[in-house]
Amino acid sequence: MSRSRSLDEENDTAADSPLHVSVVIPARNEAHNIERCLRSVLSNDYPSYDITVVDDQSTDGTGDIARSIASGDPRARVIETGAPPEGWFGKQWACETGARATHSDIILFADADTTHSSDLITRSVNAMTRRSAHLFSIVGAQELGTFWERLIQPLVFGMLLVRYGGTESITNSRFVTSKIANGQCLFVRRDTYDELGGHSLVKSHVADDMMMAQRFFARGKKVAAAEGLTQLSTRMYTSLGEIVRGWGKNVFAGGRDSVPWGWFGRLIFPFLLLSAPLFTLAPAIVLIVSLITDVPGTLSLWAIMAAAAQVIWWMAVYHRMHVSPLYALISPLGALVVLYIFARAALRGQKVTWKDRVYVSR
């Protein structure tokens, strides 16, 4: 990612009197992920940390797997949480429950589908301290296994890159709506977290990480981000269905909070949202139409030039995400799926369904 700082630049040695870090991992039906995540966090060489896995009413044995691993290491434990109170999203309530059960200088909220390197906490705490950040998140590598993951995920992340820029653009922006964080790996100073009300600050927002970054910044707190491509990796989704449901849950309900221009920005947001995949599709559509019927020569020329420019851009994005650049040749197919996801999300509005729970994002 251009204009980004990397954790590789940070010192990998902890301070002589290290700040204590509590790692909170909210987990609902994460049996396929929790062992790898928990073991990777336990491999950290940071000298002062503990781990709390919050089993959020899982029905697939997530808690049992986590308890089996935690029983062999005093740094880890598993707690359970009940159904979220009225007005709370499940993940936020699990994070709040885990945070309340810990005592530390820094809290790291980590998703159960993440894998951590042994130096992630050390480098992150050093970066967070050096930059005097109250909220600090890591942008890690994306693990892409299936055809649909390799085709679609780079397109979505490429669109996010156009919107937000690199981590330094996010960190240095003076605008609330340009603040975003990665909830997959989110560090917060404990005193600031408690001062601002913890996760109750974002209890009913589907894009809780982005909203927490915005709320922290709006209250005068420093929000920063960095790349950690060798320290953090995430397998977000494993199938086309998961991709559709996963991005569909927050791309509209959460994305509308990232639009500037107040009420007017929110009014036109559906059109802005759909314009991103349509921009990728437009040259291909014109070229196909030109094969069927006569179109002005200037329009055909534009389509050829625009399609070529887009292929070059998407080749760079796919390469950056360690996917064959040849996927750029079929990027219009991916854009068509992205258009479906975005349109479906816009039609659903603020209603969100995720992991067998239905919410209304506010």
Side-chain angles (χ1 to χ4, degrees):
M1 193 183 292
S2 62
R3 301 183 304 280
S4 292
R5 299 293 296 271
S6 170
L7 284 185
D8 292 335
E9 304 169 15
E10 300 297 335
N11 195 328
D12 63 355
T13 302
D16 292 336
S17 299
L19 299 172
H20 187 70
V21 176
S22 286
V23 184
V24 175
I25 306 174
R28 177 172 170 82
N29 292 335
E30 294 284 358
H32 55 299
N33 287 320
I34 193 63
E35 179 173 1
R36 186 176 72 154
C37 175
L38 184 51
R39 290 195 186 281
S40 74
V41 179
L42 285 168
S43 75
N44 255 277
D45 54 21
Y46 191 73
S48 181
Y49 74 98
D50 58 68
I51 307 170
T52 299
V53 177
V54 184
D55 181 13
D56 182 13
Q57 297 187 306
S58 298
T59 58
D60 65 349
T62 295
D64 292 335
I65 295 171
R67 275 185 285 271
S68 176
I69 299 170
S71 65
D73 196 309
R75 294 172 298 176
R77 62 173 174 170
V78 180
I79 64 175
E80 297 182 357
T81 184
E86 183 69 26
W88 281 78
F89 275 56
K91 179 183 177 181
Q92 285 92 308
W93 179 241
C95 288
E96 178 80 6
T97 301
R100 288 179 182 178
T102 64
H103 300 278
S104 59
D105 301 297
I106 295 173
I107 307 173
L108 162 56
F109 296 103
D111 281 0
D113 55 6
T114 57
T115 303
H116 303 223
S117 70
S118 59
D119 60 345
L120 184 149
I121 295 179
T122 301
R123 290 181 186 271
S124 297
V125 170
N126 287 340
M128 188 177 185
T129 302
R130 181 179 60 79
R131 304 184 79 171
S132 301
H134 301 90
L135 183 149
F136 182 70
S137 65
I138 307 302
V139 179
Q142 292 296 317
E143 300 175 27
L144 307 174
T146 66
F147 167 80
W148 291 109
E149 290 173 86
R150 294 193 296 270
L151 176 63
I152 297 171
Q153 293 290 76
L155 289 175
V156 177
F157 282 101
M159 293 171 188
L160 289 174
L161 176 60
V162 171
R163 166 63 183 89
Y164 290 102
T167 61
E168 288 307 283
S169 298
I170 295 168
T171 300
N172 296 326
S173 175
R174 295 174 296 137
F175 303 101
V176 170
T177 53
S178 293
K179 295 297 180 181
I180 193 171
N182 180 19
Q184 297 167 349
C185 186
L186 183 65
F187 292 81
V188 294
R189 278 179 39 176
R190 180 63 189 243
D191 54 356
T192 307
Y193 179 81
D194 289 342
E195 173 193 342
L196 298 185
H199 268 79
S200 66
L201 194 66
V202 294
K203 65 182 181 181
S204 59
H205 291 272
V206 64
D208 57 295
D209 46 5
M210 180 191 73
M211 185 54 64
M212 184 167 283
Q214 291 186 3
R215 293 281 170 85
F216 269 53
F217 181 72
R219 287 160 175 77
K221 308 304 180 182
K222 176 117 181 239
V223 173
E227 278 190 345
L229 300 180
T230 59
Q231 288 81 24
L232 177 75
S233 65
T234 308
R235 180 82 183 271
M236 289 179 65
Y237 310 120
T238 61
S239 68
L240 177 59
E242 286 189 7
I243 292 171
V244 171
R245 291 189 296 273
W247 285 115
K249 79 178 187 298
N250 60 10
V251 71
F252 179 80
R256 63 200 298 268
D257 291 314
S258 69
V259 184
W261 315 311
W263 66 267
F264 179 71
R266 288 177 173 241
L267 179 66
I268 65 172
F269 177 63
F271 306 99
L272 296 176
L273 182 65
L274 298 180
S275 68
L278 283 173
F279 182 78
T280 299
L281 280 169
I285 292 173
V286 173
L287 288 175
I288 291 173
V289 171
S290 69
L291 296 176
I292 301 172
T293 184
D294 291 332
V295 298
T298 53
L299 186 59
S300 295
L301 180 61
W302 168 84
I304 292 171
M305 295 177 63
Q310 286 191 356
V311 166
I312 294 172
W313 159 256
W314 288 120
M315 287 181 74
V317 172
Y318 281 109
H319 175 73
R320 176 66 173 169
M321 294 191 67
H322 303 287
V323 175
S324 170
L326 294 179
Y327 273 88
L329 299 176
I330 56 172
S331 57
L333 172 61
L336 188 62
V337 178
V338 173
L339 178 62
Y340 169 75
I341 294 171
F342 288 5
R344 184 171 179 262
L347 289 173
R348 290 179 64 90
Q350 299 300 98
K351 186 177 180 180
V352 176
T353 301
W354 188 241
K355 294 197 173 183
D356 303 320
R357 289 171 173 162
V358 179
Y359 310 98
V360 176
S361 184
R362 307 198 183 276

